[in-house]
Structures are given as structure tokens and as C-alpha cells.
Amino acid sequence: SNKNAEITATAQRRDEVQASVIAEQQRMVEVQAQLDDRQKILEKRLLSTYKSDDSGFIEVVMGSDDFSDFLTRVDMVNAIADEDRELIESIRASRQTVEDDLASLQGKEEELAGLLSQLNDSQQALLAAQEEQQTVLASIQSQRDLTDSQIAQIQAQAASIEATMSSIQGQAASPAG
């Protein structure tokens, strides 16, 4: 029936959305891992940059030959830091997008589950109404059968009365012996 097709289509849509939810959750895990890796790299770089016993920021800057070389090296260090910041920001934004997508998909999944439940309820109601209709029809049919048999009985009685009447009339019409 129409309801069955609707239920099947809705169930299919819900399954597709559930698959998307799982895919988004997987993407979320990957993005989070990327972010964690990136932050670890950045932390290591920052540590090494500010440790004077390492060939970090101070050595890079102080190891410069002249002031313009010094500025170039400072710019380079800043550029790397900016690049890291941008990368982390882009990964964070990407994670936020995935979170939003996930929330939206989960909302859609709940909506579809609700719709499916409504459709199932209305299908049950339809089936119940159909059963009731069948019962009423069966009851009407049995009453009609009863009426038909009563009519047949009355007709048989009428025929028998008629036969008796005509036989009486026949006897009355013949001259007495």
C-alpha cells in the first residue's frame, strides 16, 4: 500500500542518515587527531625555540651576521609560527564544521525516526480500520444471508398456502358426487 512505500522510503532515508552520522563521527576522530598532532609539533617547536641550549629561536636570531639578516631570521621564525597558527585554526574550524554537520545529521536522524514511528502508527490504525471494515462487511453479509433464507422460507410458505388454497378451490368447484 501507499503507507508501506512511505515507511520503506523513510526507513531507507534514516539508514542513509545513520551511515552519514557514522562517517561524520569518523571524520571528527581524524580531524581531532590532526589537531592533536599539530599541537604536539607546535609545542615541541615552541619548547625548542625558547630553550637557549638548543639551536632554537635565540640561536637562530643571535647567530645572524648583521641586522638585516637578524630581521630576516626573526621574520622566518614568525612566519613559521603564523603558518602553524593558521593550520591549527583551519583544523579547529574544520572540527567545528564536522561537529555542526554531526549535530545536524543527528537531528535529522531523530526527525526521521519520529516520522517512521508516526507512519508505523498510522499504518497500524489503517490496518485496524480495515479489519473493522471487514468485520462489519461480514456481519452485513451474514445478515443478508439470513434475510435471504427468511425470504426463501416465506416464499415457500406462500407457495404451500397457495397450493392448499387452489386445491380447496378445485374441490369446491367440482359438483358433489
Side-chain angles (χ1 to χ4, degrees), residues 36-47 84:
D36 292 346
D37 287 351
R38 207 61 224 175
Q39 275 175 329
K40 277 184 202 127
I41 290 169
L42 189 60
E43 280 162 22
K44 272 187 201 159
R45 197 179 285 171
L46 285 173
L47 278 174
D84 277 335

Side-chain angles (χ1 to χ4, degrees), residues 139-159:
S139 147
I140 289 170
Q141 184 63 49
S142 70
Q143 282 175 348
R144 204 177 71 194
D145 291 348
L146 193 65
T147 308
D148 286 348
S149 78
Q150 284 172 335
I151 290 170
Q153 216 174 352
I154 292 165
Q155 283 171 336
Q157 282 175 343

Side-chain angles (χ1 to χ4, degrees), residues 76 102 104 121 151:
M76 188 181 70
L102 198 55
S104 150
D121 291 349
I151 290 170

